[in-house]
Amino acid sequence: MQLNAVATASEWELAAAELAWRSGVFVDGKLQPSRSDEGFSVVSPRDGAALAEVAVGSALDVDAAVSSARAAFDDGRWSRRAATERGRALVRFGDAVESRARELALRISLEMGKPAQDALAVELRAIAQTLRWYGQLADKLGDEAHVGTPGALALVTREPAGVVGAVVPWNFPLTMTGWKLGPALAAGNSVVLKPAEQTSMSALVLGELALEAGIPAGVLNIVPGRGDIVGEAIGRHPGVDVVAFTGSVGVGRRFLAYAAESNGKRVWPELGGKSASVVLPDADLDKAGRTTAWGSFYNQGQMCSASSRMVVLGEAHDAAVAAAIAQADDMRPADPLSGDAALGAVVSEAQLAKILGFVERAVADGAAIAAGTGERFDIGTGRGSYLAPIVLTGVRPDMEIAQQEVFGPVLSVIAVDSVDEAVAVANGTPFGLGAGVWGRDLSAVHQLARRLRAGTVWVNCWEEGDMSMPFGGVGASGFGRDKGARAVDKYVDVKSTWIELDS
Ligand code: NAD
């Protein structure tokens, strides 16, 4: 089967049946068996079927990966290569990923349940674009020369930090990986990547694609495995200089502790969210309600920046809620391989149970289900972990559902009476990842946007942006920033060189 041509449901199905799964660790340019006897079974949330038994990495594999990365860094095979050449290799890496886009999209879809077509259009496009963007940036990162003191020259240069540990989640597995690899590799670092347990097999393919693109062996190592084994080993490793982490708040804070208890490595946490979309009465209410709901349900609601709270002012309430309900009705889950599914499967049975628990407690707290059922959804096969989108109305800002990250397709509607109240509600959680404002009065919108405590504010849209826009949060959402030229600074040390000139 030519994966490049796959598009229809039956073609995705056929390709899935022919797919071979490999596991192990990718160290020193080779896929090798793990140094551990442990393994686990990867179950597809699409139908509950076991995809493969995978060997998981161990702390010994992390040691081997860090040694390989360190050797590659120290001998300069990448770190001291001309930036233009590194850039070209990164662009080729992006192209190589794109050349296997359909296969990778299929692997992700089977591993974590998102629609294959979506994985292709969003995930694969994002990682290929990110690698190319940082490749093109690599030789444009000028450093500084200061000549203010006669008889001396001051140079302020960016030096690659060394070995970067990149630990990523499963919800946008390749997008998140691209956001770490692009700037870290562009700056000349070596990387040890740890994908999430749920998406480890698709991540392994990146190792061979990096080699194919001319990124030398040892520069990118991949160690899949359990968070509390492989993730912790990376976090505590004395040979790792920087950790770029995306995931939950609890684990992000663990990484800060690992760093404090080991070598004081730099940690960049990018964590969860409870983002509010504030709807003003003069907004296009249909668009506001629909887009906010879409932002809450897309990717089965498993989005750090999900617009999981719609904060609606006064008379805007009913029309915005009606639009959100209409959007929920338009986003029925379907087989991720069906070719046109709006939603696929939730990542696991455990995640599904967790989401339903949140909804049950919200209803007990007084919220009303305005769309969805609050029960698992059957796509007609009687198998798999599916949930139709849920709109909850009558949510109060202090309820658990309005304070905690659900990570499922659940939108909470909170009615407010004034802009000040909207600001207090929007800013009234520990998180601060994304926020949104809907309205037509530019001054009112802009003033409100300035008052929202968030790393990104979307005005009359949600999730829009391009590679130039940094992405990250404040407060409990962490302080790391991905994307944009500034992300490179996470992976460099600033060096000052003072040169006395002959007089
Ligand atoms: P998670 O924190 O459970 O896992 C993330 C990674 O950390 C995985 O690779 C996991 O194996 C590893 N890990 C788990 N326990 C560990 C431990 N004790 N020590 C070291 N590593 C450990 O998160 P998840 O369930 O994979 O992803 C969902 C979370 O990620 C959500 O909270 C979501 O909001 C967040 N997220 C944030 C962003 C962002 O850019 N801010 C983007 C996507 C997802």
Side-chain angles (χ1 to χ4, degrees):
M1 154 85 28
Q2 270 299 318
L3 268 163
N4 280 342
V6 168
T8 65
S10 54
E11 285 169 343
W12 283 117
E13 289 261 7
L14 191 56
E18 289 178 0
L19 212 53
W21 295 95
R22 277 176 297 171
S23 74
V25 297
F26 189 85
V27 173
D28 220 16
K30 291 179 283 294
L31 184 65
Q32 7 182 310
S34 156
R35 289 155 181 80
S36 137
D37 297 332
E38 253 198 89
F40 60 80
S41 170
V42 176
V43 171
S44 175
R46 173 186 176 234
D47 54 7
L51 290 175
E53 289 295 316
V54 299
V56 298
S58 64
L60 289 175
D61 294 304
V62 172
D63 274 344
V66 173
S67 297
S68 166
R70 176 61 57 190
F73 185 77
D74 287 348
D75 71 17
R77 70 187 86 156
W78 180 254
S79 53
R80 291 201 294 276
R81 210 183 248 195
T84 306
E85 281 183 39
R86 284 203 303 262
R88 280 203 202 111
L90 269 176
V91 170
R92 287 195 300 270
F93 190 12
D95 293 344
V97 169
E98 195 170 80
S99 73
R100 300 265 293 269
R102 282 173 194 272
E103 173 201 337
L104 282 162
L106 180 59
R107 288 183 186 278
I108 292 172
S109 174
L110 292 169
E111 282 186 303
M112 57 70 72
K114 73 169 71 190
Q117 210 65 40
D118 250 13
L120 184 62
V122 178
E123 277 280 280
L124 272 301
R125 189 176 56 87
I127 183 173
Q129 186 187 25
T130 303
L131 294 172
R132 289 196 282 247
W133 197 86
Y134 283 104
Q136 287 157 359
L137 183 71
D139 62 0
K140 296 168 192 71
L141 296 162
D143 288 322
E144 301 163 34
H146 296 268
V147 294
T149 303
L153 173 65
L155 297 180
V156 182
T157 52
R158 289 185 174 98
E159 309 289 332
V163 175
V164 172
V167 180
V168 296
W170 47 265
N171 63 333
F172 287 94
L174 290 182
T175 307
M176 296 301 119
T177 299
W179 288 2
K180 311 298 185 206
L181 295 187
L185 292 177
N189 297 283
S190 300
V191 177
V192 177
L193 167 70
K194 185 212 155 328
E197 290 85 327
Q198 297 86 341
T199 47
S200 51
M201 293 188 291
S202 47
L204 280 173
V205 177
L206 295 180
E208 65 188 82
L209 296 178
L211 279 185
E212 193 183 309
I215 295 175
V219 173
L220 172 59
N221 301 275
I222 306 171
V223 187
R226 278 174 42 186
D228 59 351
I229 297 175
V230 174
E232 179 161 350
I234 291 173
R236 293 190 182 281
H237 206 290
V240 173
D241 300 290
V242 178
V243 164
F245 171 76
T246 297
S248 60
V249 173
V251 177
R253 290 182 183 179
R254 275 176 190 254
F255 272 100
L256 293 167
Y258 300 152
E261 289 161 12
S262 57
N263 62 344
K265 58 177 69 64
R266 231 175 306 166
V267 175
W268 296 108
E270 308 204 29
L271 312 175
K274 192 72 204 177
S275 305
S277 173
V278 180
V279 183
L280 300 172
D282 69 341
D284 175 339
L285 297 179
D286 187 59
K287 189 173 174 202
R290 275 190 170 272
T291 309
T292 301
W294 172 86
S296 190
F297 305 149
Y298 179 70
N299 207 40
Q300 300 68 247
Q302 301 161 145
M303 285 204 295
C304 53
S305 51
S307 43
S308 53
R309 296 180 298 152
M310 183 160 77
V311 178
V312 198
L313 257 94
E315 72 264 29
H317 182 273
D318 291 358
V321 169
I325 293 171
Q327 184 66 30
D329 291 341
D330 286 351
M331 293 179 81
R332 299 284 100 183
D335 182 347
L337 301 193
S338 62
D340 60 355
L343 292 184
V346 169
V347 70
S348 63
E349 279 296 296
Q351 184 70 13
L352 181 61
K354 193 173 147 204
I355 301 166
L356 292 175
F358 270 113
V359 173
E360 199 180 315
R361 291 190 296 280
V363 171
D365 278 352
I369 296 183
T373 63
E375 284 172 22
R376 68 186 304 136
F377 185 84
D378 185 352
I379 60 165
T381 59
R383 295 193 303 273
S385 314
Y386 297 91
L387 183 62
I390 296 166
V391 177
L392 293 173
T393 52
V395 173
R396 293 186 313 276
D398 59 342
M399 284 182 183
E400 178 200 56
I401 195 83
Q403 288 291 323
Q404 292 193 24
E405 186 180 43
V406 175
F407 230 52
V410 182
L411 174 66
S412 295
V413 181
I414 303 173
V416 293
D417 293 323
S418 68
V419 169
D420 285 345
E421 191 185 351
V423 171
V425 169
N427 292 344
T429 77
F431 297 103
L433 193 55
V437 183
W438 294 87
R440 289 195 170 98
D441 176 340
L442 188 61
S443 298
V445 164
H446 195 61
Q447 283 175 22
L448 176 51
R450 296 283 300 268
R451 294 174 69 188
L452 296 175
R453 195 169 161 268
T456 301
V457 179
W458 286 286
V459 174
N460 293 328
C461 62
W462 197 269
E463 289 296 343
E464 299 296 339
D466 61 21
M467 277 305 300
S468 65
M469 258 183 57
F471 183 82
V474 299
S477 298
F479 49 81
R481 290 285 181 281
D482 283 325
K483 295 170 65 195
R486 284 190 179 91
V488 174
D489 289 338
K490 296 186 339 190
Y491 306 104
V492 299
D493 291 317
V494 172
K495 179 188 274 180
S496 299
T497 307
W498 184 264
I499 303 167
E500 291 281 344
L501 304 173
D502 285 343
S503 49

